Amino acid sequence: MAIAQASTSSVVGKSVKRIDVQEKVTGAAQYTDDIAFGNALHHCRVKRSPHPHALIKKINYDKALLIPGVKLVVTGEDFPEYVGLYLQDRNIFARDRVRFVGEGVAAVVASTEEIAEKALDAIDVEYELLQPVLDPEFGASKEAPIIHPDLEKYEHPNFIFPVNGTNMANHFKIRKGDTEAAWPQCAAIVEHTFRIPQVQHVPIEPHVAIAKAEENGQVTLWASTQSPFAQRALLAKSLHIPESDFRVIAPLIGGGFGCKAGVTMEAIPVAAALKLKGVPIKLLLTREEEFYTNFVRQGLVIKLKVGCDKDGNLLAMENTMYWDGGAYTEYGVNVTRAGGYSSTGPYDIPNMRTDSICVYTNHPVGGAYRGFGMAELHTGVGQIMDMLADKIGMDRTEFHLRNCVRGGDVLATGMVIHEVGLPECIDKVARALKLGEKEAPSAPNKLRGKGIALAWKAPAMPPNAGSSALVKMNADGTVNVSVGGQELGQGTFTAMAQIAAESLGVPYEAVKVLGPIDTRYSPYEWQTVASRLTWSMGNAVRNAALDAKKKILDIVAEAWNEKPEDLDIKDGYVISYKTEESIEIKDFVVYGLPKADDQGWLGGPIVGAGSFMPTYVTGLDAETGQGERAVVHYTTGAQGLDIEIDKDTGRITVLYAASAFDVGKAINPDMVRQQMEGGFVQGLSSAMFEECQLVGGEMRNPSFVDYRIATAIDVPEKIDTFIVETAQDDGPFGARGIGEHPLVPVIAALANAIYDATGVRITNPPFSAEKIYMALLEAGVVN
C-alpha cells in the first residue's frame, strides 16, 4: 500500500506544505501496463452508435470473432440489468435502442488494442432511425417523442420525482409565498431567458479502468474514479455480485471535476471480465471519446422573472429551468434537484416559484461537473440581479448587500439558514475592485468595465451520505490515517493530516495518509464529490483521532493514578497539568505500559475509529419543496472582474479578479486560496471559450484543436483572494467546503463586466471575441 506522507510540521489553520505522495505514477495508468499484469492483459474497445436516436434491429459480430487475437464480443443481450446512482435508467450496453451519438452497443476484447479496434469495423449494426430530441424545452413538451418509454419502471429514491409518460426525469418544485400577488407591488420587474451550453470536464487523464474476474467469484476493478465505494455498490447490484466479492482499487487520479463520479465506462470492462474470467481487461478512452461518450456538464435553458420595490428590496422571483439531461439522467436528476432548492441564488426572496425540470434529450449524458448545476443557475440569477439593479437605478454593491442571505433568513425551502459571512465577502470584493469607480481603459480602442456576482452552493448528496476513518498509532510515534475519500489534486490528504494532527496532539509531520483507496481495506466513504470531504470526512478523521486520544489518555491516567481530564497530548507527549509529568506516546501506544510491581500491563496497540453522517437533513414536499432542513449547509461568496475589451476584435483581457468566500474555517489557507484561483480560472474558461458544439446530436469539436480551454495567457496578472471565516457548527474546527464554489459566479460576473464596459447585454456564454464583436457591431458601438 502506497503512503502519502506529511513533510513539514504545522496544525489546522496554517498553510503547511502539501503532502508528498509517494506514488511512482499519478493515476490509474500505473496499473495498466504489462509489467503489472504480465502478458495476460487484454484490451477492450467499444462499438458506438453513429446516431442520436434509433432502434437497434440487429447486431452481427460473427466476422469479428474470426479475427485472430479476438477473445470475446459482448452486447446488451448479455447484460439486461440497469445501473444508476439516483435513477436506474441505463444499461451497460444499449439494448432496444440507442439514445445518443457515441453510446456503446458492443465491446470487443482482444489481445491488443489494435486488434480490438480493427474488430469493431467487422461488427455490423442495423438501425431504424427515430426522431431525435435536441432541445430540452421541446423535450418537456407533449409533442416530443418519448426517449424512455419505461421511465415508470426505473428505480429511484423518494426525493426524485419523474413524470411518467414524458421525457421529464425529475420535476422539482418550490412554492413559497404568492408570486402573483407580489408582482403588482413591484416597482421594477425584469424577465429574461438564458441559454447555457454543455461543456466538458477535460481532465488531463482520460477515463481508464481494468477489471478481472476470478473463477472463485472474486472481481477486482482498478479505476480512475472519484467513487470507488459507490462503484462497488452500483455494479455489484446490477451484475448480481456480492459486495464482499467485489473490490475496487482507486489510485490517485489525474483530474476528475465530477466526470469520474458514479459509474460510467467502468461497467464495460467489468461486464467483459465476467464473460472472460481469469484475465485482466483494460479499457482506456481516447481523448475524442472522453469528450462525448461520458458525462458532460448539462445544458440549461433558464427563464427568470424577478421584481423589487422602489427601495430595491426583492419581492418575488419565478424560475423555470429546463436542464438538458442528455440520453440518461441517472446523475443529472440530482443536479436538477440541487438547482431547484438553490434556485433563488444567495438572495432573500419572500415569494418564490420554481420549476426545475430534468429533460431527456438525445445529447451526451449530463452528469456531475464542478459546481453541480450552480454555475449554470448562477449564470442566469447573477445576471438578472445586475439587470434589476440597473433598472431600479441602484448601486450594485448596495443592491447585493440589501438582498443577500444572512443568518436566520428563511430560505425558499423553508429552511432557516445558519450564520454566513456573505455581506463581508461582498464588501471585500467591492472594495478590492473599486466597484462603482469608472477607470480609464489602457488605449483608445479599448472599453473597460467591472462586474460582480454572488454565489452559494450546498453539498448535493443524499441525506445519509456518510464518512469513516481509522487512526492507527505506530511504535515509532508516527500515525497512519486511513480514509476512503480520493485525492484529486485538491489537497484533501493534506487537510486530513492536519485535522488528525491537531485533534490527536502530534506534529503534522508524524501523520501519514494511506493510499491508494481500496474498498477491501479502506474505511467507507460515500463519494469524493460535492465539496464535502473537508467537512464530512474531516469530521470522521477528527472523531477517529479523538477516539485514539481518549484511549491513550485512559491508559496513562490509570498508570499515573490521575483523571483523564487532567491530561493532554502536546507534540506527541502525554502531559499532566496536575503533576507536570510527561511521557512520549511512542513509548507505549503499541506495547502498552507496565503496571506497578510487575503486576501486568496496561493498554496495547492503539487504533481509533471515527465516522460521521448528517442525521438532520429532512425530506421536502413534492409539490411545494418545503421542509425543515433541505441541506446540511451553504458556502457563500462573491467574485468580481475588471476587464478590457478590444473594440477592433472583441477580445477580452481580464485585468484583475477578486474572490471572497466564507469557508467556515480555513484548515489550510494556502490551499483555500489555490482553490479560489483554480476555480476562477476554470470558470473563466467556460465563460470565454468552452462549448460542446452539438449539431444534430453530434459533437463537432471533440478535440483540443477545436475545443479551447483557458491557458496562462488568459489569466489576469493579479487575483486577490479573501478568506472569510464564519464557523460552521457541525464542521471540523468550523470548516466547510470550498472546492467547487469559486467556479460558480464567474460567468455572471464576466457578463456583468462586459455590460459595464460596452452597454450591451450578451447573456449566453461562451463570450467569445467573435460573439462580442458582432454584438457591438449590431448595437452600433463599433462601425
Side-chain angles (χ1 to χ4, degrees), residues 707-726:
Y707 188 100
R708 187 184 166 191
I709 61 175
T711 64
I713 63 172
D714 305 301
V715 178
E717 290 187 7
K718 186 176 183 182
I719 304 174
D720 277 333
T721 55
F722 303 98
I723 297 173
V724 175
E725 295 179 313
T726 305

Side-chain angles (χ1 to χ4, degrees), residues 213-498:
E214 307 289 358
E215 292 292 346
N216 64 5
Q218 298 290 317
V219 177
T220 303
L221 171 65
W222 295 263
S224 178
T225 176
Q226 298 173 228
S227 311
F229 289 92
Q231 284 189 353
R232 181 184 66 175
L234 294 172
L235 290 175
K237 178 182 178 181
S238 177
L239 297 172
H240 308 294
I241 304 168
E243 278 198 34
S244 58
D245 290 341
F246 199 137
R247 180 184 183 189
V248 179
I249 300 172
L252 302 172
I253 68 178
F257 309 110
C259 70
K260 294 174 182 175
V263 174
T264 55
M265 52 76 76
E266 301 84 7
I268 295 174
V270 174
L274 292 174
K275 294 293 185 179
L276 189 64
K277 295 183 177 179
V279 296
I281 298 172
K282 172 184 175 182
L283 175 59
L284 170 66
L285 295 191
T286 66
R287 178 55 66 181
E288 183 174 338
E289 287 176 313
E290 189 73 30
F291 269 101
Y292 64 90
T293 68
N294 272 281
F295 286 155
V296 299
R297 188 184 77 184
Q298 295 186 98
L300 175 63
V301 177
I302 176 170
K303 298 186 173 186
L304 288 167
K305 180 180 180 181
V306 62
C308 65
D309 64 19
K310 62 182 178 60
D311 296 319
N313 298 301
L314 290 170
L315 296 182
M317 175 187 278
E318 291 182 357
N319 184 343
T320 302
M321 292 175 277
Y322 297 97
W323 298 86
D324 190 334
Y328 300 95
T329 65
E330 55 100 359
Y331 217 125
V333 289
N334 200 41
V335 176
T336 300
R337 181 174 182 267
Y341 59 62
S342 298
S343 55
T344 59
Y347 296 95
D348 180 23
I349 305 176
N351 301 286
M352 188 72 196
R353 180 186 177 94
T354 297
D355 291 279
S356 186
I357 305 168
C358 186
V359 185
Y360 283 120
T361 69
N362 296 113
H363 280 151
V365 178
Y369 179 95
R370 188 178 189 179
F372 209 72
M374 294 301 101
E376 304 91 284
L377 164 69
H378 284 71
T379 295
V381 173
Q383 289 187 74
I384 206 161
M385 292 302 177
D386 196 78
M387 295 160 74
L388 185 59
D390 187 59
K391 187 169 184 177
I392 203 71
M394 180 174 287
D395 174 79
R396 285 173 287 178
T397 304
E398 181 185 350
F399 181 86
H400 290 311
L401 288 171
R402 179 180 289 266
N403 291 291
C404 72
V405 291
R406 300 168 187 262
D409 285 348
V410 179
L411 304 182
T413 60
M415 170 180 164
V416 177
I417 193 169
H418 50 84
E419 292 298 321
V420 295
L422 183 55
E424 185 179 349
C425 293
I426 297 168
D427 182 68
K428 287 183 179 297
V429 169
R431 288 178 182 274
L433 201 62
K434 298 179 182 177
L435 196 64
E437 295 183 25
K438 199 69 177 177
E439 297 187 60
S442 62
N445 68 327
K446 301 290 181 67
L447 300 169
R448 187 169 179 179
K450 302 173 184 178
I452 188 173
L454 313 188
W456 72 347
K457 183 189 180 298
M461 62 188 197
N464 61 338
S467 301
S468 57
L470 296 173
V471 168
K472 181 171 76 73
M473 309 303 298
N474 299 316
D476 61 358
T478 60
V479 181
N480 288 352
V481 176
S482 296
V483 294
Q486 183 62 288
E487 175 61 66
L488 310 178
Q490 81 280 43
T492 193
F493 281 11
T494 301
M496 295 306 108
Q498 288 181 263

Side-chain angles (χ1 to χ4, degrees), residues 179-193:
T179 55
E180 290 304 316
W183 297 126
Q185 303 173 37
C186 294
I189 296 174
V190 177
E191 293 185 70
H192 195 81
T193 297

